[in-house]
Amino acid sequence: MNSKACITPGCSRSVIARNMCSACYQRWYRKKHLAEACAYSRKYYELHSEKIREQSRKLREQNLERYRGYDRKSYKLHSEEIRERSRKDRKQNPAKYQRYYDRRRKAHPGRAYLYSQKWRKQNPDLRNAQRRRNYQRGARHAINGGQSYDDFDNQMILDKTIVDDPGGILKEDVSDRELARFLGRTVAAIQVQRHKLKNYEA
């Protein structure tokens, strides 16, 4: 075995060729023959893409914290470029991202709500604009706007249920948008009426 050390500063491994260890020699060779090395790497990847991906997945799973550190460092250096690329990709492939978000919500049911809550606190103006758009979207169903509420309507608003005329419950724990559509009101009107009813009861 060769006892001579590599000439690269900071490297103490044994010499293989040109007074360098194997790793340093390969690094030097790649720089000197960059076009040739890139062409070889592309060809090799095309032939063994599945094998390389599987190895990468296993290596990432075994060294998860280290790879997350790499990801954070890379994001800090290229944050604007990554965001712009992500925005373009989301516009071009909305169905793909929707599937991804659905999988994330199923795997981590509480985390999505926490992220949403954090975003709302950090972006109150954007959240208010989003809320206004949401209210305007449901305004086209408000065929009973301006009319008074009867006891039947008030009970549905308080209980968040949809019932038929005889009193049988059709659906429980409904969203305000669904309830507003059933009653022919806006979401804002439903929420205001619930607030009034709760204050009146208190």
Side-chain angles (χ1 to χ4, degrees):
M1 186 175 176
N2 197 341
S3 59
K4 197 173 179 182
C6 179
I7 60 170
T8 306
C11 182
S12 57
R13 286 173 289 207
S14 300
V15 166
I16 298 295
R18 290 183 174 267
N19 293 322
M20 288 181 278
C21 67
S22 177
C24 294
Y25 175 77
Q26 288 176 31
R27 202 175 296 119
W28 168 83
Y29 185 89
R30 185 177 177 84
K31 284 182 181 178
K32 190 173 181 182
H33 306 86
L34 187 58
E36 180 187 337
C38 288
Y40 176 80
S41 297
R42 279 194 295 271
K43 188 176 179 181
Y44 184 85
Y45 185 82
E46 287 171 4
L47 292 171
H48 307 90
S49 58
E50 284 301 319
K51 180 183 175 183
I52 293 168
R53 284 174 190 159
E54 186 59 33
Q55 287 175 343
S56 297
R57 277 194 290 268
K58 285 182 180 178
L59 193 62
R60 187 178 179 89
E61 287 172 4
Q62 292 168 1
N63 304 275
L64 190 58
E65 287 305 316
R66 189 177 77 181
Y67 274 83
R68 281 178 176 168
Y70 294 156
D71 293 343
R72 283 191 287 267
K73 188 176 180 182
S74 175
Y75 188 81
K76 283 181 181 178
L77 291 171
H78 311 286
S79 58
E80 285 303 319
E81 182 185 339
I82 292 169
R83 284 174 190 160
E84 185 60 33
R85 194 165 61 233
S86 179
R87 277 193 290 267
K88 286 181 180 177
D89 196 34
R90 274 199 298 271
K91 286 181 181 178
Q92 291 171 357
N93 305 285
K96 181 183 84 172
Y97 277 85
Q98 189 59 50
R99 288 194 300 270
Y100 168 74
Y101 294 141
D102 291 341
R103 283 199 307 270
R104 292 274 298 176
R105 287 191 191 98
K106 285 180 181 178
H108 311 284
R111 192 180 296 177
Y113 176 73
L114 291 175
Y115 285 153
S116 177
Q117 203 173 35
K118 184 179 177 182
W119 181 86
R120 290 172 190 175
K121 287 180 180 178
Q122 292 175 346
N123 304 276
D125 294 336
L126 291 174
R127 172 57 182 156
N128 287 333
Q130 191 181 65
R131 188 182 284 114
R132 282 193 295 272
R133 285 197 303 272
N134 187 31
Y135 287 157
Q136 289 166 5
R137 196 181 301 141
R140 63 181 180 272
H141 302 292
I143 57 175
N144 294 324
Q147 298 181 22
S148 59
Y149 295 87
D150 58 23
D151 295 337
F152 202 58
D153 294 342
N154 289 335
Q155 196 59 46
M156 280 194 282
I157 291 169
L158 281 172
D159 296 341
K160 293 188 177 182
T161 57
I162 292 177
V163 299
D164 54 11
D165 288 335
I169 296 175
L170 298 176
K171 199 171 183 181
E172 293 181 325
D173 196 23
V174 296
S175 65
D176 286 343
R177 181 180 290 180
E178 196 172 355
L179 188 58
R181 189 174 296 179
F182 181 79
L183 295 175
R185 311 277 182 171
T186 63
V187 174
I190 292 290
Q191 292 174 348
V192 168
Q193 182 66 8
R194 185 182 292 121
H195 180 72
K196 287 178 180 177
L197 291 169
K198 284 183 177 179
N199 285 348
Y200 178 75
E201 285 183 352

